[in-house]
Amino acid sequence: MDINQLRTLLHVAELGSLSRAAERLRIAQPALSRQVRLLEEELGARLFDRHGRGMTPTEKGREALRHAQRVMAELEEIRAAVADEDAALRGHVSVGMPPTVSAILARPLVAAFSARHPDATLRIVDAYTGYLRDWLHRGELHLAIMYQSPPARSLRVTPLLEERLHLVGPPGAGLSPARPVTAAEVAARRLFLPSPGHGLRALVETWAAAAGVALDVRVEADSYAILTALAETGPGCTLLPLAPIRREIAAGRLAHAPIADPAPRRRLELAMPADRAAPRLARFAAQALRDIAGDLVRGGQWSGRLIGGGEPDPAGGAAS
């Protein structure tokens, strides 16, 4: 039994398919199949049920998965325990963020690296959660901040914060941070939103359905820059967190209003691969992102609630 076999076990179980796992890991499917077969032979147990739709873990397979996850975590702890954490590092680390998050965190993260590890190379990737998740699996990113998505055994995810969405529109839209709008008022507006495959759209649609309203979506745009540009000029509004549009609000180019509870909220998570050890630069980036987010929320520059920190949700008042 070796680490590659355990990594294969995690990915095949998550994806339910040898072909998809082979594509993610960039390993030929026959080689991946052989790893699974050798592991089953060594353990003397069938770990997967094979069927026309793919592969699902057996009861013994699920037990093996639990142990494999613990083994991978222990390997990371061994590497962390013997590392000299005080030395400045060289090397490369890749960090992914959604557009609305990179607008807030990219600059302070670069500053943190410049101060602590000036000779390291930092790559910041700006993309939506679905892409970030896939690139984490493929090893193209060391870590990513993502909006909440379905759990995956091959990712180690820790909650970061929860953001409240606001109705955002042009200055003449009659929006005020002092007057929350109801779900019915949101539904009465012409809206600019991402397409249905986007996480923000799914969140808003789920919220609207729970509130018993139908949204009037006139334009679909899978670009944060386009959504904000449309919201500046109208005719219509969008739904966004406040932090990435603070400058536009301060300059008077955008107006906003909080949505009355129960308001739609998005949870941000910090994700790293669980099937391989995180390099020290990646661990530094993860801690720096947690520290920066905490400072911004506590200082009122990021309207949100730190998960587990007990901080209040200011509902966006600091941005007005």
Side-chain angles (χ1 to χ4, degrees), residues 128-130 147-148 194-205 266:
Y128 291 119
T129 289
Y147 286 107
Q148 188 173 20
S195 60
H198 192 284
L200 176 62
R201 177 67 175 273
L203 171 68
V204 172
E205 294 281 6
R266 294 201 297 185

Side-chain angles (χ1 to χ4, degrees), residues 115-132:
R116 184 67 184 84
H117 301 295
D119 295 325
T121 301
L122 171 65
R123 175 178 174 237
I124 298 177
V125 179
D126 182 283
Y128 291 119
T129 289
Y131 294 111
L132 298 175

Side-chain angles (χ1 to χ4, degrees), residues 20-317:
R20 289 198 291 270
E23 181 181 359
R24 173 186 285 179
L25 296 170
R26 297 180 179 178
I27 299 173
Q29 184 172 333
L32 210 63
S33 177
R34 182 172 182 273
Q35 286 186 10
V36 173
R37 187 176 67 254
L38 289 175
L39 185 58
E40 289 181 321
E41 290 175 358
E42 181 173 350
L43 295 176
R46 193 177 77 255
L47 302 179
F48 292 96
D49 285 325
R50 282 81 166 168
H51 47 75
R53 297 182 303 279
M55 301 171 64
T56 55
T58 62
E59 182 178 350
K60 291 184 177 180
R62 289 190 292 272
E63 184 63 28
L65 281 167
R66 286 190 288 271
H67 287 284
Q69 289 172 306
R70 287 198 291 270
V71 169
M72 302 305 290
E74 286 296 325
L75 285 174
E76 181 182 342
E77 290 301 318
I78 292 171
R79 290 179 172 90
V82 301
D84 179 6
E85 296 293 342
D86 295 328
L89 300 174
R90 297 176 181 269
H92 173 81
V93 64
S94 296
V95 181
M97 308 179 202
T100 53
V101 175
S102 63
I104 311 162
L105 295 183
R107 289 184 182 180
L109 180 63
V110 170
F113 265 82
S114 297
R116 184 67 184 84
H117 301 295
D119 295 325
T121 301
L122 171 65
R123 175 178 174 237
I124 298 177
V125 179
D126 182 283
Y128 291 119
T129 289
Y131 294 111
L132 298 175
R133 185 182 176 97
D134 186 51
W135 294 335
L136 275 173
H137 288 314
R138 291 176 178 272
E140 296 174 19
L141 293 175
H142 293 100
L143 71 154
I145 290 181
M146 309 188 302
Y147 286 107
Q148 188 173 20
S149 56
R153 289 189 177 94
S154 56
L155 293 180
R156 185 172 60 259
V157 175
T158 55
L160 187 61
L161 64 84
E162 187 177 70
E163 294 180 303
R164 181 175 183 152
L165 299 187
H166 286 231
L167 186 63
V168 178
L175 301 176
S176 168
R179 191 184 75 82
V181 296
T182 65
E185 290 176 293
V186 174
R189 301 269 184 168
R190 298 161 58 100
L191 295 176
F192 311 130
L193 289 175
S195 60
H198 192 284
L200 176 62
R201 177 67 175 273
L203 171 68
V204 172
E205 294 281 6
T206 300
W207 166 79
V213 299
L215 301 178
D216 182 14
V217 181
R218 298 299 183 93
V219 176
E220 296 178 342
D222 290 346
S223 163
Y224 159 69
I226 293 175
L227 286 177
T228 53
L230 290 172
E232 284 187 21
T233 58
C237 298
T238 189
L239 280 80
L240 288 171
L242 289 189
I245 56 173
R246 289 177 55 83
R247 293 181 181 178
E248 290 85 350
I249 292 171
R253 298 199 305 270
L254 285 174
H256 71 95
I259 300 172
D261 285 328
R265 300 171 187 269
R266 294 201 297 185
R267 174 173 289 199
L268 280 170
E269 301 174 328
L270 187 62
M272 304 176 76
D275 61 352
R276 52 188 176 272
R280 285 181 55 196
L281 280 174
R283 299 201 302 274
F284 171 80
Q287 187 58 54
L289 288 169
R290 283 190 286 265
D291 293 343
I292 293 166
D295 290 343
L296 291 174
V297 171
R298 286 186 287 268
Q301 290 83 41
W302 197 342
S303 301
R305 179 179 66 86
L306 292 172
I307 299 174
E311 289 79 357
D313 180 356

